[in-house]
């Protein structure tokens, strides 16, 4: 957004962000002051038909950098020199993290090959019995092919 000029005497500045600026075709403008906050949406909708339904019903509004509730702070009056910002909601793209109770993917585990050298092996898809002793090693005495005699 470019630098916003100070509104002329008897006016306040309105700043339009994101889709609000796209809808109005402006980044900012000045409106006559004073104006009750409760009449702001009606004034903007009169200037830009459909603005309330498309933008204002889901936006945030600030007056001099303080968030206001247009419905709840309706008795507040926007004064000369004030700065009003219309800030539509933004979509936040957050990383999707697995819930804490879900198992994390197993890590690759070192295994020994026939020569006794360690090598990295990726986990197999079915590791339901990963906590149980290796049946083949238990059967042959734990050694590679040596029956212990």
């Amino acid at each position: 957004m470019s630098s916003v000029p100070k509104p002329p005497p008897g006016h306040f500045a309105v700043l339009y962000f994101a889709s609000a600026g796209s809808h109005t075709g402006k980044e900012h403008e000045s409106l006559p002051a004073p104006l009750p906050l409760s009449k702001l949406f009606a004034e903007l909708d009169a200037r830009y038909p459909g603005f309330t339904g498309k933008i204002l019903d889901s936006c945030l509004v600030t007056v001099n950098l303080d968030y206001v509730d247009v419905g709840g702070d309706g008795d507040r009056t926007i004064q000369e020199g004030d700065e009003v910002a219309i800030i539509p909601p933004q979509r936040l793209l957050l990383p999707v993290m697995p819930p804490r109770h879900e198992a994390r993917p197993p890590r690759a585990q070192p295994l020994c090959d026939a020569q006794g050298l360690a090598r990295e092996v990726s986990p197999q898809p079915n590791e339901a019995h990963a906590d149980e002793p290796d049946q083949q090693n238990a059967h042959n005495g734990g050694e590679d092919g040596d029956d212990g005699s």
Side-chain angles (χ1 to χ4, degrees), residues 66-91:
D66 291 325
Y67 288 99
V68 295
D69 177 5
V70 175
D73 293 333
D75 58 342
R76 181 175 179 167
T77 299
I78 304 167
Q79 301 294 331
E80 175 181 350
D82 283 352
E83 182 180 85
V84 176
I86 308 296
I87 308 166
Q90 300 293 312
R91 291 187 181 145

Side-chain angles (χ1 to χ4, degrees), residues 127-133:
E127 294 208 3
H129 304 287
D131 295 335
E132 297 178 11

Side-chain angles (χ1 to χ4, degrees), residues 20-45:
S22 297
H23 189 86
T24 63
K26 300 177 180 181
E27 291 182 350
H28 56 83
E29 70 178 313
S30 297
L31 296 178
L35 179 69
L37 185 60
S38 61
K39 297 187 187 238
L40 176 64
F41 281 15
E43 175 67 28
L44 293 174
D45 201 53

Side-chain angles (χ1 to χ4, degrees), residues 18-19 54-60 86-92:
S19 58
K54 293 179 183 172
I55 306 296
L56 295 175
D57 284 345
S58 62
C59 73
L60 297 173
I86 308 296
I87 308 166
Q90 300 293 312
R91 291 187 181 145
L92 295 178

Side-chain angles (χ1 to χ4, degrees), residues 10-11 17 20 29 31 37 42 50 83 99-100 107-108 120 127 140 146:
H11 289 74
F17 292 91
E29 70 178 313
L31 296 178
L37 185 60
E83 182 180 85
R100 287 198 163 296
R107 296 184 189 182
E120 195 88 350
E127 294 208 3
N140 68 17
D146 186 17

